[in-house]
Amino acid sequence: QVQLVQSGAEVKKPGASVKVSCKASGYTFSGHYIDWVRQAPGQGLEWMGWINPNSGGTNYAQKFQGRVTMTRDTSISTVYMELSRLRYDDTAIYYCAREIAVAGLDHWGRGTLVAVSS
Amino acid sequence: DIVMTQSPLSLPVTPGEPASISCRSSQSLLHRNGDNYLDWYLQKPGQSPQLLVYLGSNRASGVPDRFSGSGSGTEYTLRISRVEAEDVGVYYCMQALQTPYTFGQGTKLEI
């Protein structure tokens, strides 16, 4: 079955960087984009961008341009999302999700809590 | 960016009764191929979001048929024919016509 397993919770200081991983299994890794969506405490969902695991191509929301980098390692079917210059308002749960072309985000990871605290 | 607006934001329901959530987009989500690029998600308490409906009206795999999506252009509706206790959570619409994908504010369904 399709699974997206994310790395564990992180606590970072303002100005630092965080790198969250998302390991895919149960399907052809290169066949579907992986999107990243975050959710601040008690808030709604915010799309950050996607990565094409086949080509490594990316599409980032303008809000995160210059601070976010999405990469992949095809040898271990894993994608990464790195967010730099962290601010307090980056505290959120970060989800990875598989995107089926024109058919939605059909499988989600359990989320990774990133807390930014001094 | 396309702005998504949901209503109501809170929806108290009685089990067995129908429920309806509206979602409006700031521009049409109708693609030239005839599909409406609007998805619905449910986030149950303490869980990750799950896909309910894609392309406006297509139920995702495993989604009960009491859920149905409709609409076109800028107006969309998610209907639950008979609410069950397991349907509680926050419902989000999301446009996938253009990046950045954007979500509605969420509608909290409570029993």
Side-chain angles (χ1 to χ4, degrees):
Chain A
Q1 73 282 21
V2 175
Q3 281 194 303
L4 298 174
V5 178
Q6 298 187 224
S7 49
E10 305 259 14
V11 180
K12 296 291 183 181
K13 294 190 184 305
S17 297
V18 68
K19 192 170 186 177
V20 180
S21 68
C22 172
K23 182 174 176 59
S25 62
Y27 71 99
T28 302
F29 176 67
S30 59
H32 303 288
Y33 291 7
I34 294 290
D35 292 53
W36 289 89
V37 175
R38 76 177 187 178
Q39 185 171 39
Q43 301 301 308
L45 302 172
E46 181 176 33
W47 184 82
M48 299 179 68
W50 56 245
I51 180 168
N52 178 343
N54 186 41
S55 66
T58 55
N59 185 332
Y60 303 142
Q62 180 132 20
K63 174 177 179 175
F64 301 101
Q65 288 275 2
R67 286 210 302 143
V68 70
T69 305
M70 297 177 190
T71 57
R72 93 290 193 210
D73 183 339
T74 56
S75 68
I76 54 172
S77 301
T78 299
V79 299
Y80 303 91
M81 187 284 299
E82 183 170 21
L83 190 62
S84 63
R85 302 194 301 278
L86 289 168
R87 306 187 292 249
Y88 292 113
D89 63 359
D90 290 318
T91 293
I93 297 175
Y94 290 76
Y95 295 100
C96 62
R98 185 180 79 161
E99 178 176 346
I100 300 294
V102 306
L105 307 177
D106 73 332
H107 283 85
W108 294 62
R110 291 194 172 187
T112 296
L113 174 63
V114 175
V116 182
S117 173
S118 58
Chain B
D1 297 359
I2 298 176
V3 177
M4 307 299 292
T5 303
Q6 291 182 228
S7 62
L9 299 185
S10 179
L11 183 57
V13 295
T14 302
E17 293 298 305
S20 178
I21 300 170
S22 295
C23 177
R24 176 177 296 176
S25 56
S26 61
Q27 63 188 75
S28 176
L29 303 182
L30 178 63
H31 192 274
R32 59 182 177 271
N33 64 10
D35 289 323
N36 289 280
Y37 281 50
L38 187 283
D39 305 327
W40 289 96
Y41 297 87
L42 165 59
Q43 186 173 31
K44 295 183 178 181
Q47 296 186 18
S48 303
Q50 60 186 85
L51 178 65
L52 294 176
V53 170
Y54 63 93
L55 292 178
S57 60
N58 296 276
R59 269 191 306 276
S61 176
V63 174
D65 61 7
R66 63 178 181 274
F67 291 93
S68 63
S70 64
S72 184
T74 62
E75 303 278 347
Y76 298 87
T77 302
L78 178 72
R79 291 185 176 86
I80 310 173
S81 58
R82 293 175 305 280
V83 172
E84 297 189 5
E86 66 182 24
D87 299 336
V88 298
V90 181
Y91 290 77
Y92 295 94
C93 59
M94 185 195 86
Q95 68 80 18
L97 181 68
Q98 65 186 52
T99 59
Y101 299 157
T102 45
F103 292 88
Q105 318 97 299
T107 295
K108 188 172 186 179
L109 187 144
E110 304 169 296
I111 301 239

